[in-house]
Amino acid sequence: MCDQNVHISLELLSELLKTSIKRIVVAGSGFEYGSEHGELFESLKDNANSDYAKAKLDLFSEFDRSCSGANIELVWSRIFCSFGPGKPASSLLPVVYRALANKEVPLVKTPGGTQDFVFVNDVASALFKLATTKSVSGLFNIGSGCLTSVAQIVNLIAESCDSDFRIENIEYMRGPWASIEKIKKVTGWEPRYTLEQGVKESIKELKKVAP
């Protein structure tokens, strides 16, 4: 799947280079930083440790080389753990919601795991800012700038579903979160949705398709 996505992306790049386009904004991934923990800055050295991350970095290298040669501004966003409407049915929120809606105990493998969870609407507004702000290029993190545990997400889903289920008394693991100072400074963007608001919006949409 990674090879196919790389091939399609490079074909798209080839077509874009034939146009008079001035800027290309690409959705990269926070996973390009590898297994690093703590606050991650754009200046951090890439350390991909998965096929997915390596494919993203290969694409970044090719896009960077091609855009530099064609005098095109390249904006490469590194999106952290996005959640919300439109995400796969196998992702955390839909899986937990379906279990709770069916009065089942959700299977949560790593409740103590932590990530930078960012709502999809905030991701969309960040990409828009990167596409429309004058004279922008380079790497930009997109995240909430906060560390959140899987257990916190699950408990918020339970609250939104009026369920008594809660995950408590667990040991948390220190994970990565995005430094978002650069995108704030350059574009003026910052997240508008709190974690609670994002979960509520997500559940509202899930109830429309699977009440």
Side-chain angles (χ1 to χ4, degrees):
M1 181 63 75
C2 286
D3 288 342
Q4 182 181 9
N5 288 341
V6 169
H7 177 70
I8 293 172
S9 298
L10 291 178
E11 284 190 337
L12 174 60
L13 174 61
S14 177
E15 293 302 313
L16 289 173
L17 292 173
K18 298 175 185 176
T19 72
S20 58
I21 194 167
K22 300 299 182 184
R23 181 182 303 174
I24 298 176
V25 180
V26 183
S29 170
F31 288 114
E32 293 169 43
Y33 293 115
S35 57
E36 297 288 342
H37 294 161
E39 186 175 17
L40 304 185
F41 296 85
E42 289 89 348
S43 57
L44 187 67
K45 185 179 179 180
D46 305 325
N47 188 26
N49 60 354
S50 68
D51 289 340
Y52 171 75
K54 289 173 184 175
K56 285 288 187 183
L57 289 176
D58 287 344
L59 275 177
F60 172 62
S61 296
E62 186 58 34
F63 269 71
D64 188 42
R65 182 189 65 79
S66 298
C67 288
S68 295
N71 198 29
I72 296 171
E73 294 175 339
L74 173 63
V75 178
W76 191 273
S77 65
R78 286 183 171 164
I79 302 169
F80 280 62
C81 210
S82 62
F83 73 94
K87 299 296 288 185
S90 59
S91 59
L92 179 63
L93 265 80
V95 168
V96 173
Y97 169 76
R98 286 196 303 270
L100 294 174
N102 292 325
K103 308 300 181 184
E104 300 171 353
V105 176
L107 177 61
V108 183
K109 295 180 180 179
T110 55
T114 55
Q115 282 285 349
D116 184 329
F117 289 93
V118 57
F119 188 50
V120 290
N121 287 19
D122 281 329
V123 174
S125 66
L127 291 172
F128 178 79
K129 279 283 193 180
L130 289 170
T132 57
T133 303
K134 289 184 179 180
S135 302
V136 173
S137 64
L139 289 171
F140 290 87
N141 289 337
I142 299 178
S144 67
C146 302
L147 197 60
T148 301
S149 72
V150 172
Q152 285 175 273
I153 293 279
V154 172
N155 289 342
L156 285 172
I157 298 170
E159 288 178 20
S160 297
C161 295
D162 296 321
S163 168
D164 293 330
F165 177 81
R166 297 290 186 277
I167 297 177
E168 299 175 333
N169 302 320
I170 61 170
E171 184 176 344
Y172 295 106
M173 296 176 280
R174 187 168 183 262
W177 71 92
S179 167
I180 55 175
E181 291 308 309
K182 182 179 179 181
I183 190 172
K184 282 183 179 181
K185 181 178 180 180
V186 173
T187 72
W189 173 86
E190 59 183 307
R192 294 181 58 192
Y193 287 81
T194 65
L195 186 67
E196 293 81 358
Q197 290 170 332
V199 169
K200 285 181 180 179
E201 288 295 318
S202 302
I203 298 302
K204 186 188 301 183
E205 292 300 313
L206 285 170
K207 285 180 176 179
K208 292 179 181 178
V209 296

